[in-house]
Amino acid sequence: MSDLFDHYAAEMAGAAAYDEMFTPEQRLRPAYEQIGQVLDGLSLGDVHARADSMARSFLDRGVTFDVAGEERPFPLDIVPRVIPAEEWAVIERGVVQRVRALECFLDDVHGDQRVVADGIVPRSLITSSAHFHRAVWGFRPAGGVRIHVAGIDVIRDQQGVFRVLEDNVRVPSGVSYVIENRRAMTKGLPEAFMSRSIRAVEAYPRHLYRALRATAPEAAEDPVVVVLTPGVFNSAYFEHALLAGLMGVELVEGRDLVVRGDRVYMRTTDGEQRVDVIYKRIDDEFLDPLHFRPDSVLGCSGLVNAARAGNVTIANAVGNGVADDKLTYSYVPDLIRYYLDEEPVLPNVDTYRLEEPEARAWVLEHLEELVVKPVDGSGGKGLVIGSTATAAELAELRAKVLADPRGWIAQPVLQLSTVPTFADGGFGPRHVDLRPFAVNSGDGVYVLPGGLTRVAMQKGSLIVNSSQGGGSKDTWVLGQPQTQDLDPGRVPPADVDGTVHTWPVSASWQDEGDTGQEQQQQQARAAGTGKGAPC
């Protein structure tokens, strides 16, 4: 193996984590043989030059992220994460199964709640969730689908077993990086694409567009789809604009929409145009001032009423956050058995429900050995790793748990798997997770072959979130013919009239949902963009 990895064995020695590229005996795993051959032909200077080139390309394209108010290019590592076809098949089946079960659960939650009557989950799990909205209880969305897009976070534990870490079925973000990473890697490491079958990722926008149209209200003969963004101040604006451009649909803000007679219209230079499907990238609480936050300048009044009337499809459906609740996550294996009569393909990480007195007492005695998370947190916010916390931090955590046990779960500290990553002038093992993306059309669930591999850039860190300094890797799923592999560039939108759309490239993206919308409201007002009514 190349001398680029001379120090890698020493760094791996004694580590508990599963390494994706090397066996404990420092042999290349078969899936990485092509990568190993390519890297063998490079010097350290070559790697530096290519890594710098990829970083510049991201900066030029506006693929940046925000850390403490500072825009930075999103780190993309030159070594991809490679998943053999047989391993991917397991992940794919597990993700599809999870989406199907959660779809059933959300439909039940907003209807008969037989899952409660049958004693599978307590009623309090639903009614105490911050994302259970009575405004949308009792009706099925137009098109019959609630989870149009899902991002299921997966990790590989010390034994090499893939486990689900959390479910994201509200506003899952990050697929833009999957697309951009592949584009950059075909230029940064082109040799590696020449003889290996790597499944392509460029079909995602087509699947998304078709799924959105498939779930349009029945009365819509030629459904009009729009992407609803909170606006240019949002850290995920790049992704919103990218997806709209790739699908060939309009990118709109709340002020571009108006609701009359429970029907939604988009203001255009040619007059108002009816809208049938809204792919919303905005949190429920900011979507409709009539039902949620009355001070929101990001949404549009009347959208929920239009959805209730069956005149517009909102994707993902309002109220999906009940399934994102980390306490609900702890019940998902039971939900799979209950709704699907199947055993879970992908196991959960062992989880303690701190509202249960016995579990809470045990956890409070072992805080130093556990990870404790808020049930509504994202992006690693509020998470406490007991082994690295100070005594004062643990005392504060103990007080918070006792004050609100429903608001917390605890899990063992897992050593996420590692992949060689170029950092600090050489290659070292860095921990990774994986977010596969699924698209649900109602007739089937498509899983994008790859997903977003996030990597903790700091040695030893288990925090992979980009908002806390993490980076990413291109994720290669092996198994398809070479002719389908390369990302040639912009993907022509499917089922549209060929209109050329351009990609805004001046905004940023953050990895965990459309957070910070409170701050964005303030920015919008300050910029004079949010005066008066939202529409």
Side-chain angles (χ1 to χ4, degrees):
M1 190 60 203
S2 165
D3 57 5
L4 293 173
F5 292 90
D6 281 350
H7 301 290
Y8 199 78
E11 290 206 46
M12 277 184 61
Y18 179 99
D19 193 82
E20 302 276 349
M21 184 167 174
F22 292 102
T23 68
E25 297 77 26
Q26 278 295 293
R27 296 194 184 95
L28 272 175
R29 298 188 190 276
Y32 280 86
E33 288 177 353
Q34 176 68 18
I35 294 297
Q37 291 172 11
V38 172
L39 292 175
D40 259 345
L42 301 180
S43 68
L44 189 60
D46 295 331
V47 174
H48 262 297
R50 295 190 186 210
D52 288 346
S53 176
M54 290 196 301
R56 282 197 304 274
S57 73
F58 264 35
L59 192 60
D60 291 343
R61 293 184 57 78
V63 189
T64 61
F65 69 106
D66 182 287
V67 174
E70 180 184 352
E71 293 290 331
R72 300 179 183 177
F74 186 62
L76 168 62
D77 189 63
I78 195 168
V79 178
R81 192 240 190 98
V82 185
I83 302 177
E86 61 274 16
E87 291 187 358
W88 178 253
V90 175
I91 295 173
E92 187 176 44
R93 284 194 296 116
V95 168
V96 171
Q97 181 188 58
R98 207 135 174 134
V99 171
R100 290 169 54 219
L102 290 173
E103 181 76 36
C104 293
F105 172 68
L106 286 169
D107 208 46
D108 196 10
V109 162
H110 293 91
D112 297 336
Q113 297 190 359
R114 59 187 176 90
V115 69
V116 173
D118 289 341
I120 307 302
V121 302
R123 187 178 302 278
S124 61
L125 171 73
I126 299 167
T127 56
S128 63
S129 172
H131 303 292
F132 177 61
H133 302 304
R134 287 173 174 76
V136 292
W137 184 83
F139 83 101
R140 295 203 74 206
V145 172
R146 296 179 185 274
I147 303 172
H148 299 76
V149 178
I152 309 297
D153 289 351
V154 176
I155 57 96
R156 198 202 292 258
D157 67 14
Q158 295 95 316
Q159 287 72 45
V161 176
F162 285 106
R163 294 179 179 273
V164 174
L165 188 62
E166 65 181 46
D167 304 288
N168 299 280
V169 297
R170 185 174 33 163
V171 191
S173 293
V175 75
S176 61
Y177 280 155
V178 179
I179 297 169
E180 290 292 340
N181 283 355
R182 183 61 55 84
R183 184 192 306 275
M185 284 295 292
T186 57
K187 298 176 181 176
L189 207 63
E191 310 97 312
F193 289 85
M194 299 306 292
S195 60
R196 197 79 201 233
S197 297
I198 303 164
R199 295 185 64 180
V201 299
E202 77 271 18
Y204 179 85
R206 282 197 286 270
H207 284 277
L208 175 62
Y209 182 65
R210 287 169 179 159
L212 294 173
R213 284 175 60 95
T215 56
E218 286 186 8
E221 294 182 358
D222 185 14
V224 174
V225 179
V226 298
V227 175
L228 174 60
T229 174
V232 296
F233 295 112
N234 190 270
S235 58
Y237 185 75
F238 171 80
E239 176 155 305
H240 308 162
L242 180 74
L243 291 176
L246 290 175
M247 289 193 291
V249 305
E250 295 295 337
L251 179 68
V252 302
E253 299 180 26
R255 56 184 171 164
D256 298 320
L257 302 177
V258 62
V259 178
R260 293 196 185 91
D262 288 341
R263 299 184 188 279
V264 182
Y265 298 90
M266 167 177 54
R267 297 186 177 100
T268 76
T269 53
D270 294 328
E272 293 180 353
Q273 181 179 7
R274 181 168 168 173
V275 172
D276 303 295
V277 182
I278 298 173
Y279 181 39
K280 71 175 175 69
R281 305 306 302 266
I282 177 172
D283 286 344
D284 292 350
E285 290 75 10
F286 294 86
L287 182 66
D288 184 344
L290 284 182
H291 289 280
F292 303 115
R293 290 187 49 150
D295 64 335
S296 175
V297 298
L298 306 179
C300 174
S301 296
L303 287 183
V304 170
N305 289 347
R308 288 187 67 94
N311 292 327
V312 68
T313 296
I314 296 177
N316 285 344
V318 178
N320 277 14
V322 178
D324 274 8
D325 189 314
K326 291 183 176 59
L327 189 57
T328 300
Y329 156 87
S330 71
Y331 289 95
V332 172
D334 294 328
L335 299 179
I336 291 171
R337 297 185 186 99
Y338 176 69
Y339 289 113
L340 307 181
D341 194 23
E342 299 173 2
E343 283 299 310
V345 174
L346 296 172
N348 272 18
V349 175
D350 294 339
T351 302
Y352 299 92
R353 301 169 186 146
L354 300 192
E355 64 174 2
E356 297 175 354
E358 187 175 346
R360 182 168 67 249
W362 189 89
V363 167
L364 290 178
E365 291 177 2
H366 297 83
L367 284 179
E368 296 84 352
E369 306 165 20
L370 301 167
V371 178
V372 183
K373 302 176 179 178
V375 297
D376 59 351
S378 63
K381 295 182 179 64
L383 175 152
V384 178
I385 300 176
S387 59
T388 60
T390 65
E393 289 170 337
L394 291 178
E396 182 182 1
L397 173 63
R398 184 175 287 103
K400 288 181 178 178
V401 169
L402 290 171
D404 179 23
R406 163 65 171 86
W408 299 84
I409 61 168
Q411 296 172 329
V413 179
L414 295 181
Q415 292 297 313
L416 312 184
S417 61
T418 56
V419 181
T421 301
F422 192 64
D424 303 326
F427 284 106
R430 295 293 186 271
H431 295 289
V432 297
D433 75 352
L434 174 66
R435 175 175 291 182
F437 290 90
V439 176
N440 180 16
S441 66
D443 295 324
V445 179
Y446 162 79
V447 182
L448 175 67
L452 177 65
T453 291
R454 300 182 299 183
V455 54
M457 299 303 291
Q458 299 299 317
K459 182 179 179 180
S461 174
L462 296 172
I463 307 297
V464 300
N465 309 89
S466 65
S467 55
Q468 299 194 38
S472 75
K473 288 176 172 289
D474 192 15
T475 307
W476 292 3
V477 173
L478 305 182
Q480 288 293 314
Q482 171 67 23
T483 52
Q484 298 180 21
D485 291 343
L486 299 180
D487 283 321
R490 179 179 180 277
V491 181
D495 303 325
V496 293
D497 59 6
T499 303
V500 175
H501 299 262
T502 58
W503 300 353
V505 294
S506 59
S508 65
W509 178 88
Q510 193 169 346
D511 62 342
E512 295 296 342
D514 293 353
T515 57
Q517 292 180 73
E518 182 75 48
Q519 181 183 13
Q520 186 180 341
Q521 289 234 111
Q522 298 171 6
Q523 291 173 319
R525 288 193 173 98
T529 58
K531 300 293 186 184
C535 298

